[in-house]
């Protein structure tokens, strides 16, 4: 049984905690946050207000880092130097040089490290990867991706709205789509880049050229209570695969439309990978630790490529 600790019991931690609790061969025993009220939501766990005290007091196989972005590198290094395996929320860092620092430290100390780039484990996005690779719908022609929401005024200590601590929209939202593209299509050139930024709004749109095709991607924090939405449309020679307006559909050139949210309709046809993406990524990393295999679904070179593009 893997013994797991988690640090940073904020917004995203809920998906991690429930995933660990649903995993059979791991036990999330202890959680740490500087805010007592966040810890009190989980009365069945041991509570720590200090991360150093938690590491001193217990022996962990894995630490799950769900802290604000600017703390990822410091806390990951602290664990890796003790030989503790680390899964860390995205982004790994705002600086490309931290990628080598973290991976080298992991190697030197015989520990495993993975950034939780969750789209790599997200069923709809995994389906895009499948059809892009097996070419069942022919070559990819065009793509568009988006991630839109409202300005995050609510965050702990306002860290999201501080560029030096969060990297703002490029590192909060757009990094998901860019990471997925780099994972699937390789390193792009940026053809066209637009950033419109004020104290209350941030909109960006990039067009990425991958040689045979281009993908446009936009991301935004709007100054209104706009609901979070992540969408895509990939146009292949013989089909459009689309996640839009809450629907996940394939529109085939023969006139057929497959609606994945209507499971009876696509029974026996094509299927998408199952499960919650947060559970999937956590299960994958836990299995890497158990089986002593590298969590190389996320590669340091890809992470550096993404940071270098975002920092241009
Ligand atoms: N994968 C995703 O879909 C996804 C979604 C949201 C956020 N994230 C990432 O997750 C990370 C956390 O984001 P969030 O929205 O949960 O932030 P948050 O502000 O809601 O939570 C951060 C928590 O860390 C705690 N904290 C701060 N300093 C600490 C310290 N020194 N020791 C212990 N606890 C400390 C805060 O009290 C807070 O509870 C960010 O890097 C973000 O980019 C990923």
């Amino acid at each position: 049984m893997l013994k797991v600790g988690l640090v940073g019991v904020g917004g995203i931690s809920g998906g991690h905690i429930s995933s660990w609790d649903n995993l059979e061969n791991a036990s999330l025993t202890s959680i740490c946050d500087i805010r007592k009220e966040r810890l009190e939501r989980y009365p069945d766990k041991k509570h720590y207000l200090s991360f150093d005290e938690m590491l001193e007091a217990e022996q962990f196989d894995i630490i799950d880092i769900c802290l604000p972005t600017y703390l990822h590198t410091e806390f990951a290094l602290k664990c890796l130097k003790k030989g503790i395996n680390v899964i860390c929320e995205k982004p790994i860092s705002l600086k490309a040089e931290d990628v080598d620092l973290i991976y080298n430290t992991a190697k030197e100390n015989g520990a495993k490290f993975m950034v939780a780039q969750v789209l790599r484990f997200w069923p709809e996005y995994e389906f895009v990867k499948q059809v892009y690779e097996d070419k069942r719908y022919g070559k990819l022609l065009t793509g568009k991706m988006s991630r839109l929401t409202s300005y995050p005024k609510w965050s702990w200590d306002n860290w999201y709205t501080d560029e030096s601590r969060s990297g703002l929209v490029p590192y909060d939202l757009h990094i998901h789509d860019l990471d997925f593209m780099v994972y699937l299509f390789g390193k792009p050139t940026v053809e066209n880049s637009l950033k419109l930024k004020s104290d209350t709004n941030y909109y960006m749109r990039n067009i990425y050229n991958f040689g045979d095709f281009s993908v446009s991607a936009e991301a935004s924090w709007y100054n209104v209570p706009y609901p979070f939405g992540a969408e895509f449309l990939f146009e292949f020679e013989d089909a459009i695969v689309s996640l839009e307006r809450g629907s996940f559909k394939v529109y085939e050139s023969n006139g057929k439309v497959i609606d994945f949210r209507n499971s009876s309709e696509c029974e026996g046809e094509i299927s998408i990978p199952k499960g919650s993406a947060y559970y999937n990524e956590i299960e994958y990393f836990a299995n890497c630790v158990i089986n002593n295999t590298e969590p190389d679904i996320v590669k340091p070179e890809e992470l550096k490529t993404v940071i270098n593009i975002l920092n241009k």
Side-chain angles (χ1 to χ4, degrees), residues 186-206:
K187 186 175 175 177
T189 53
V190 184
E191 254 179 13
N192 191 305
S193 184
L194 173 72
K195 278 188 187 141
L196 301 171
K197 193 170 143 189
S198 75
D199 288 346
T200 54
N201 293 58
Y202 193 136
Y203 173 84
M204 67 174 290
R205 191 206 60 222
N206 284 355

Side-chain angles (χ1 to χ4, degrees), residues 7-13 16 32-35 38 49 51 66-72 75 89-91 116 118 122 154-156 159-160 171-172 176 278 281:
V7 59
V9 188
I12 194 60
S13 67
H16 287 236
C32 169
D33 200 292
I34 51 176
R35 294 186 292 171
R38 296 297 305 182
L49 292 167
F51 187 61
C66 293
L67 288 164
T69 297
Y70 66 99
L71 296 171
H72 290 178
F75 279 66
E89 253 308 338
K90 54 54 65 176
V118 72
W122 204 285
W154 42 266
S155 67
W156 168 78
W159 74 271
Y160 266 115
Y171 281 92
D172 177 37
H176 283 290
Y278 295 99
E281 67 185 358

Side-chain angles (χ1 to χ4, degrees), residues 156-173:
W156 168 78
D157 199 34
N158 277 330
W159 74 271
Y160 266 115
T161 60
D162 174 354
E163 185 158 17
S164 66
R165 292 193 286 172
S166 76
L168 305 179
V169 166
Y171 281 92
D172 177 37
L173 297 177

Side-chain angles (χ1 to χ4, degrees), residues 35-48:
R35 294 186 292 171
K36 196 165 169 276
E37 68 274 18
R38 296 297 305 182
L39 299 170
E40 284 164 354
R41 299 157 75 101
Y42 301 97
D44 59 322
K45 313 284 181 206
K46 276 192 215 164
H47 295 172
Y48 292 91

